[in-house]
Amino acid sequence: MLIPLLKTYLAPYKRSIAALVVLQFVATAASLYLPRLNADIIDNGVTRGDTDYIVSTGMWMLGVSLVQIVCSVAAVLIGAKAAMGAGRDLRKSILHRVGTFSAREVGQFGAPSLITRNTNDVQQVQLLIVMGFTILVMAPIMCIGGVVMALREDIGLAWILLIAVPGLAISMGLIVVRMVPGFRSMQIRIDAVNRVLREQITGIRVVRAFVRERFEIDRFAVANDSLTDAALRVGRLMALMFPTVMLISNVTSVAVIWFGGHAINDGTMEIGSLTALLSYIMLILMSVMMASFIAMMVPRASVCADRISEVLATESSVVLPAAPKAFVTTPGRVELRNAEFSFPGAQFPVLSGVDLVAEPGKVTAIIGGTGSGKTTLINLIPRLIDVTAGQIMVGGVDIRELDIDILRSEIGLIPQKPYLFSGTIATNLRYGKSDATDEELWEALEIAQGADFVRKMPDGLETAVAQGGTTVSGGQRQRLAIARALVRRPSIYLFDDSFSALDLTTDANLRGALKPVMKDACMIVVAQRVSTIVDADQILVLDDGRPVGLGTHEDLVITCPTYAEIVDSQHAVAAS
């Protein structure tokens, strides 16, 4: 997949690449011309004592060297710019593709692997492009040109090249072929190290609470040692490359000097020609070595390209409509018709047989035991995942026919685990409505019962927030997430167990403040506490992914054993 990937992302830089090839050709031609000029100085200047010839030819050599330097520098600059541009475009494409993924695809790859693919993997491909522009373009020109120039000096020693060049190429090829599996293993183990490190940083409080520091250190050491072992295996192969090159180069030089010395003694060769021939042979071998150096990078870049292409080739299970509808007929209405969701290859569906109508101005609650499918149901409505059977209507339109941006603009989702971005409280609240005024932010905070603690902060709305919202408490983070959704003023609110971190008083005050806001909006609440949903217009009870009751609190206590059991268990806990 490396070649198709390079073709795609280097296509916009065709002109730059063409200019680079021309510059590299001129620079390489200049470097090949210098040994010939040096030979002329020795044969026609030094041996004859002609100082004027030495000076004039030396000045000519300086001019050629200047051309070589200018062209080489320009080629490197152009190549680096094209490589950086291609890397930028590649990272952008990966990010865009991942942005279209549903929760299913994100879970399939895993966050650590996706991060590695968009950073380390792209960097390896980008490095190959840079080195390829710098070396790979020059190497074949230098090798072919060096052979031609060497043969012009003395065709009688061509047999040395016929042995040395293929010998070096075969040696390098054997080493590189053995490095491919090693690089593939390294990338997989980098993923493992990233995964373990991410888990440990995210769960540091849990690790400390359970005094598991030593266990986590050992777990990281296993992943780290595994990566180290893979890197060492590749490193040992890499360590063979330069000694092999030096051995062949030195043996070749000795052979040229030996047989060239005899030719000079016989009068069939000039000293300058021998010097030039040595230079050309070294240039040829250096070009093969540089090509081998690039070949050494190709396996790892190829593995990385495969991993990148895997992401780019993965289509989201949430398929966008070919001709999306750009409006809803009845804003704020949500209807589920025999909705079902199953993970690929699962024996039983996570959610099945759900029929529900949530009307504007009314509160619909969802309750059930752990693993009953409550969060899955909430995630189906904004198409974070797609139903595998049945139908979901939002605003009177099937969500699979509705423009996904229009769909999600109708919805304010407060997830089970609220997440705040690095920035300020104001930037987080404006996430769904960038032009919201400070008055709108404070109004949302008042409703979400968050205005008091924000006012107590030293900078108010401009108080800095760390990534993930770790600088505020869990309850404050949850109230800020609720306020963020309120600022947007959508027609549908999805509260996914969003009151669990609040005390009962704050919970009651928040629900009371929400009533005026929700008079024209649909409110769907997932809750664990019965007290949170006791006043809901309708309550859907889920058990093992299937609906087992639908009605008001008073009706369900009588007609639904599962709901009655939940109520009794919570009353018993409260009483104790």
Side-chain angles (χ1 to χ4, degrees):
M1 296 302 298
L2 179 60
I3 299 302
L5 196 71
L6 294 180
K7 283 183 178 179
T8 301
Y9 287 92
L10 289 177
Y13 305 97
K14 288 180 179 179
R15 291 184 179 179
S16 296
I17 295 171
L20 180 145
V21 171
V22 172
L23 289 169
Q24 288 282 32
F25 180 84
V26 174
T28 306
S31 65
L32 290 171
Y33 187 40
L34 289 173
R36 179 63 261 167
L37 291 175
N38 186 56
D40 288 342
I41 288 177
I42 294 172
D43 292 338
N44 301 323
V46 176
T47 58
R48 298 177 183 177
D50 190 342
T51 306
D52 292 339
Y53 187 85
I54 294 172
V55 172
S56 62
T57 308
M59 294 300 293
W60 183 242
M61 287 183 71
L62 287 175
V64 173
S65 299
L66 181 63
V67 170
Q68 179 194 11
I69 292 170
V70 171
C71 290
S72 296
V73 170
V76 170
L77 288 174
I78 292 172
K81 186 176 181 180
M84 295 305 108
R88 175 202 60 205
D89 298 341
L90 192 52
R91 284 190 292 270
K92 183 178 179 181
S93 296
I94 295 173
L95 182 63
H96 175 73
R97 175 63 68 178
V98 172
T100 66
F101 285 172
S102 70
R104 180 188 298 182
E105 287 76 44
V106 173
Q108 172 188 329
F109 287 102
S113 180
L114 289 173
I115 291 171
T116 303
R117 293 174 198 236
N118 203 18
T119 52
N120 183 271
D121 288 1
V122 172
Q123 186 179 12
Q124 295 302 322
V125 174
Q126 190 172 273
L127 182 61
L128 176 68
I129 296 172
V130 171
M131 300 306 294
F133 284 159
T134 306
I135 295 175
L136 195 60
V137 174
M138 176 179 63
I141 301 173
M142 183 174 288
C143 184
I144 296 170
V147 170
V148 172
M149 296 297 287
L151 292 177
R152 286 185 59 191
E153 295 299 331
D154 193 317
I155 199 169
L157 298 179
W159 62 271
I160 297 177
L161 292 176
L162 293 176
I163 296 174
V165 174
L168 183 59
I170 292 170
S171 301
M172 296 297 100
L174 291 174
I175 294 173
V176 168
V177 166
R178 294 188 61 189
M179 291 169 68
V180 175
F183 281 127
R184 189 177 298 277
S185 177
M186 277 184 62
Q187 295 306 116
I188 294 172
R189 296 180 191 194
I190 288 172
D191 281 350
V193 169
N194 283 343
R195 183 179 64 253
V196 173
L197 187 59
R198 181 185 174 91
E199 288 175 355
Q200 291 175 344
I201 292 173
T202 305
I204 186 65
R205 288 183 291 182
V206 177
V207 173
R208 290 172 177 170
F210 285 89
V211 196
R212 299 289 283 176
E213 288 92 341
R214 174 50 55 189
F215 172 79
E216 291 299 333
I217 288 172
D218 292 341
R219 190 161 74 100
F220 181 80
V222 170
N224 195 26
D225 290 345
S226 179
L227 174 59
T228 302
D229 291 342
L232 285 173
R233 284 195 296 271
V234 174
R236 291 187 190 102
L237 291 170
M238 291 175 64
L240 289 174
M241 296 189 74
F242 290 103
T244 302
V245 171
M246 294 308 298
L247 175 63
I248 295 175
S249 299
N250 290 334
V251 169
T252 303
S253 297
V254 169
V256 170
I257 293 172
W258 177 263
F259 292 104
H262 285 292
I264 292 171
N265 188 52
D266 295 337
T268 59
M269 189 177 189
E270 297 289 339
I271 296 175
S273 295
L274 177 61
T275 305
L277 184 60
L278 276 171
S279 298
Y280 286 130
I281 288 177
M282 291 307 297
L283 287 174
I284 294 166
L285 294 179
M286 286 297 293
S287 68
V288 175
M289 184 191 71
M290 289 188 293
S292 301
F293 179 72
I294 296 297
M296 178 181 67
M297 301 173 64
V298 168
R300 187 171 189 181
S302 180
V303 171
C304 293
D306 290 344
R307 287 159 50 86
I308 292 168
S309 298
E310 187 181 2
V311 174
L312 295 176
T314 300
E315 297 291 340
S316 175
S317 56
V318 176
V319 181
L320 301 182
K325 296 181 179 179
F327 62 91
V328 294
T329 55
T330 53
R333 189 174 191 274
V334 178
E335 182 180 357
L336 285 81
R337 299 176 181 175
N338 197 30
E340 178 180 305
F341 177 77
S342 298
F343 286 105
Q347 188 174 2
F348 301 104
V350 177
L351 200 68
S352 63
V354 179
D355 290 296
L356 178 69
V357 177
E359 299 284 356
K362 295 185 178 181
V363 177
T364 299
I366 303 169
I367 196 169
T370 302
S372 58
K374 304 183 296 296
T375 296
T376 300
L377 191 153
I378 288 292
N379 288 338
L380 288 171
I381 297 172
R383 295 195 75 190
L384 300 181
I385 51 177
D386 247 350
V387 289
T388 50
Q391 189 178 31
I392 297 179
M393 311 285 287
V394 168
V397 181
D398 189 322
I399 60 173
R400 287 171 292 190
E401 300 176 1
L402 189 60
D403 185 292
I404 198 162
D405 291 336
I406 299 295
L407 168 66
R408 290 173 180 170
S409 68
E410 293 286 317
I411 296 171
L413 173 64
I414 301 91
Q416 189 173 15
K417 295 179 180 179
Y419 188 89
L420 300 180
F421 296 91
S422 58
T424 65
I425 289 176
T427 58
N428 273 279
L429 296 182
R430 290 192 175 101
Y431 198 73
K433 186 181 179 184
S434 58
D435 59 348
T437 63
D438 286 355
E439 289 73 18
E440 290 177 288
L441 302 188
W442 284 115
E443 182 184 356
L445 285 168
E446 291 285 356
I447 297 169
Q449 309 302 300
D452 289 343
F453 76 79
V454 173
R455 286 195 181 97
K456 292 176 182 177
M457 291 180 171
D459 297 317
L461 290 173
E462 298 306 316
T463 300
V465 177
Q467 182 182 0
T470 54
T471 51
V472 295
S473 70
Q476 291 173 340
R477 188 160 56 246
Q478 204 145 32
R479 280 176 280 174
L480 289 173
I482 293 170
R484 179 171 58 194
L486 290 169
V487 168
R488 192 174 185 178
R489 286 293 192 268
S491 61
I492 300 166
Y493 289 86
L494 303 178
F495 293 88
D496 185 7
D497 199 16
S498 305
F499 306 102
S500 59
L502 307 180
D503 60 82
L504 293 176
T505 302
T506 305
D507 183 355
N509 292 338
L510 175 56
R511 286 186 286 111
L514 282 171
K515 286 182 179 179
V517 179
M518 301 297 171
K519 62 182 180 180
D520 296 321
C522 170
M523 181 174 172
I524 300 177
V525 181
V526 169
Q528 298 286 352
R529 295 195 299 237
V530 173
S531 59
T532 301
I533 60 172
V534 67
D535 297 325
D537 295 288
Q538 61 176 348
I539 301 171
L540 173 67
V541 185
L542 293 176
D543 185 24
D544 199 22
R546 296 191 63 84
V548 293
L550 179 64
T552 62
H553 170 75
E554 292 76 11
D555 294 337
L556 291 172
V557 169
I558 300 170
T559 61
C560 180
T562 302
Y563 185 75
E565 183 181 343
I566 294 172
V567 173
D568 291 341
S569 65
Q570 293 190 13
H571 283 169
V573 171
S576 62

